[in-house]
Amino acid sequence: MAGEAIVSSSAPQTAQMRQLETALDGMGVTRSHKSIIFLVVCGVLFDVFEQNAVGLVGPLLRQQWGLSATDIGFLNTITFIAAAMGRLGSGYFADLKGRRFMLNVNLALFTFGAILCATAPNYTVLSIGRFIVGLGLGGEITTAVTMLAEFCSARFRGTAVGLINVGGGGLGNMLAPAFALGVFAIFPGDNAWRWLFGCLVLPAVFIVFYRRFIPETPRFLLSQGKVKEANQVLSMLAAGQLANGSYPFREYITADAESTAPQRRATRIGDIFSGVYARRTIAVGIASWMTFGAQLSVLTLMPTILVAQGYSITKSFAFTIVMQSGSLLGAIAASVLGYNLPRKRVLTFGAVAACLAGLAFGNLTGSVAYVLVFGALFQFCVLTLNTSIWIYAPELYPTRMRGLGVSFLLALGTVGGALSQLAAGKMFDLHGVAGMFGMIAVMYGIFAIAVQFAPETFGKSIEGSGDDEADAPVPVAATRPVSSH
């Protein structure tokens, strides 16, 4: 069978993975962890700025090039399509070539696309630039989620991954308009939109930092049989030094089984649908489609919804910014909950809360207070769920297929977001705000049911063959790090 070649693993290598778990649990959170998280989150923050760029420069493009609203919408659509493709491609090559390698590739794609957008002579070139940007955007976020999950201990990985969305979905969405206004103030005129895209080339600086300071994850190195390199990264993390620093070397993982580590072929899409992985991929894939579809539908249509309720365009944008504060708080809440509570409990109760908040917003928008309170509450629930999905996804697959598994789940969310906007718009046209949010409430009901079919992963090892025994918690005292001479 195709999947059997990668499912089997030697007992010695399983023991090495347990040694790695013990080492990460024992060192906790060091200065190295914090530095790596900071660099990755900064990169994701600029990703979100870029993701919002088309909406921010849309009025200028319409005025200068005479574009229609459909033309502007197509630029967003092509970005989302490319992001889904980028996530799948990045996941495949991250499992094949490494997480660090793909982080740099994605950032390079993102930067090249931004340069092409800034210098685009016409709409066609701008569209090509947005496609390339989308490839980098989707790939970098997926790789960041996988990478941080693999650097951290079982207890802290939820918080680490959650911080990505604090910087992205939270701060990024809130600060993107302010970033654009700042650029427009410094560089006014017809070419202000070019300067905005040009300033988004700045993240290229992070490529230098990524290559110099962020190492490959010890889990990926160990999965490739590179025991010495994995020990070097663990020593670096324990000492609180980045990759180019000096630190004492410790042999946390014994090399006895290095020669017997099995040769692994490249992961295939069928692998995440084989054995017990099929149920978790389908269940969490459905949940990802529902929650990201609901979020993007509301983000896209929110100004239209508020204008339809009788508010001016200016007030609608102001209300949207205020409601986005709920997004930041939701991402922070997910990071905290990821440290303290089981994943499925957070996802189930969060889905119920999102359902109720959506229904309240859809039916109680008669006053400004209700709009702001229920809108912020809904955004809070949505970002709590979306961030929790990011936390949950890398825990569902072992290292050999984690990149592809995570990328597939998040790509489904991207596709769901693109298609759900069409359905939400149709419901709004036919049945108004109440009908649209009624549809979103149903989506969260499906979300709550779907996650019940996936396993609980909180506090458990993220390695193993996928059976119940492999998913059991790794005993902290199972093995001890051995000091080298």
Side-chain angles (χ1 to χ4, degrees):
M1 298 291 291
E4 291 175 354
I6 66 163
V7 170
S8 60
S9 61
S10 63
Q13 194 182 43
T14 301
Q16 288 178 327
M17 281 295 184
R18 291 183 180 276
Q19 289 179 314
L20 185 148
E21 296 275 359
T22 300
L24 290 174
D25 288 340
M27 70 180 64
V29 183
T30 69
R31 187 171 62 181
S32 292
H33 286 102
K34 296 175 183 177
S35 298
I36 291 170
I37 291 170
F38 174 76
L39 289 173
V40 171
V41 169
C42 283
V44 173
L45 177 67
F46 277 92
D47 280 358
V48 177
F49 284 0
E50 181 66 82
Q51 188 174 313
N52 284 274
V54 169
L56 296 170
V57 304
L60 297 177
L61 287 173
R62 294 186 68 179
Q63 181 179 1
Q64 188 172 5
W65 283 0
L67 301 181
S68 67
T70 302
D71 293 331
I72 300 298
F74 177 76
L75 293 175
N76 270 330
T77 300
I78 199 171
T79 304
F80 278 114
I81 292 172
M85 296 171 62
R87 284 177 174 176
L88 288 175
S90 180
Y92 173 82
F93 285 107
D95 285 338
L96 189 65
K97 297 291 187 180
R99 303 6 177 165
R100 180 174 178 266
F101 170 80
M102 283 313 300
L103 198 65
N104 286 299
V105 168
N106 290 321
L107 197 53
L109 284 170
F110 168 90
T111 303
F112 176 68
I115 293 173
L116 201 58
C117 290
T119 58
N122 53 51
Y123 181 77
T124 300
V125 175
L126 181 59
S127 298
I128 295 172
R130 293 307 300 172
F131 183 83
I132 296 173
V133 164
L135 292 175
L137 281 174
E140 184 173 3
I141 291 175
T142 299
T143 305
V145 168
T146 302
M147 178 173 261
L148 291 190
E150 292 185 347
F151 268 124
C152 300
S153 64
R155 187 65 186 271
F156 183 65
R157 66 179 176 243
T159 298
V161 174
L163 288 173
I164 297 175
N165 220 20
V166 171
L171 283 175
N173 284 329
M174 286 186 65
L175 296 180
F179 177 78
L181 289 174
V183 173
F184 293 161
I186 297 173
F187 304 103
D190 293 339
N191 289 321
W193 63 272
R194 295 186 184 276
W195 283 107
L196 178 62
F197 285 127
C199 289
L200 289 171
V201 175
L202 290 175
V205 175
F206 287 106
I207 294 178
V208 178
F209 287 98
Y210 288 164
R211 286 178 175 170
R212 291 194 62 193
F213 299 116
I214 298 182
E216 183 54 81
T217 71
R219 291 185 188 278
F220 178 79
L221 292 170
L222 190 56
S223 74
Q224 302 298 302
K226 299 178 179 180
V227 178
K228 180 179 178 181
E229 291 87 342
N231 279 322
Q232 288 176 333
V233 174
L234 289 172
S235 299
M236 178 206 75
L237 292 174
Q241 297 291 328
L242 291 177
N244 65 340
S246 59
Y247 46 85
F249 178 83
R250 294 185 64 187
E251 193 177 78
Y252 290 91
I253 304 167
T254 58
D256 299 341
E258 185 168 6
S259 61
T260 65
Q263 295 295 316
R264 300 192 184 276
R265 63 163 171 79
T267 307
R268 301 169 184 168
I269 195 70
D271 296 329
I272 63 176
F273 287 97
S274 64
V276 296
Y277 299 114
R279 188 172 72 173
R280 60 186 68 180
T281 298
I282 294 171
V284 182
I286 291 172
S288 179
W289 182 296
M290 294 298 112
T291 187
F292 286 101
Q295 180 198 25
L296 292 175
S297 296
V298 173
L299 282 176
T300 300
L301 294 173
M302 184 60 75
T304 303
I305 291 169
L306 294 174
V307 170
Q309 295 299 109
Y311 300 103
S312 68
I313 294 178
T314 302
K315 283 188 176 180
S316 297
F317 278 111
F319 290 171
T320 301
I321 293 173
V322 172
M323 285 185 281
Q324 281 293 347
S325 63
S327 298
L328 175 60
L329 295 176
I332 294 173
S335 298
V336 175
L337 295 173
Y339 186 82
N340 294 287
L341 293 177
R343 312 303 185 217
K344 290 173 66 174
R345 188 183 306 173
V346 174
L347 292 170
T348 302
F349 283 98
V352 173
C355 179
L356 296 176
L359 288 173
F361 184 86
N363 292 278
L364 299 172
T365 55
S367 72
V368 172
Y370 284 159
V371 167
L372 296 180
V373 170
F374 289 121
L377 181 60
F378 179 77
Q379 294 292 349
F380 173 87
C381 295
V382 168
L383 261 291
T384 299
L385 290 172
N386 290 3
T387 306
S388 296
I389 286 288
W390 285 17
I391 292 170
Y392 194 31
E395 298 177 342
L396 296 170
Y397 306 97
T399 300
R400 55 188 162 79
M401 64 170 73
R402 183 169 298 120
L404 184 59
V406 171
S407 67
F408 181 82
L409 295 179
L410 297 188
L412 273 182
T414 302
V415 174
L419 297 180
S420 296
Q421 292 179 59
L422 300 176
K426 189 67 175 179
M427 287 296 295
F428 178 75
D429 290 337
L430 293 176
H431 304 289
V433 179
M436 174 186 155
F437 275 91
M439 184 196 83
I440 289 175
V442 171
M443 292 173 69
Y444 278 115
I446 296 172
F447 177 105
I449 295 171
V451 295
Q452 306 312 312
F453 293 92
E456 181 55 68
T457 59
F458 178 65
K460 298 180 180 180
S461 169
I462 53 176
E463 304 302 336
S465 62
D467 54 20
D468 292 337
E469 182 178 354
D471 285 337
V474 177
V476 174
T479 181
R480 299 291 182 191
V482 180
S483 299
S484 63
H485 298 289

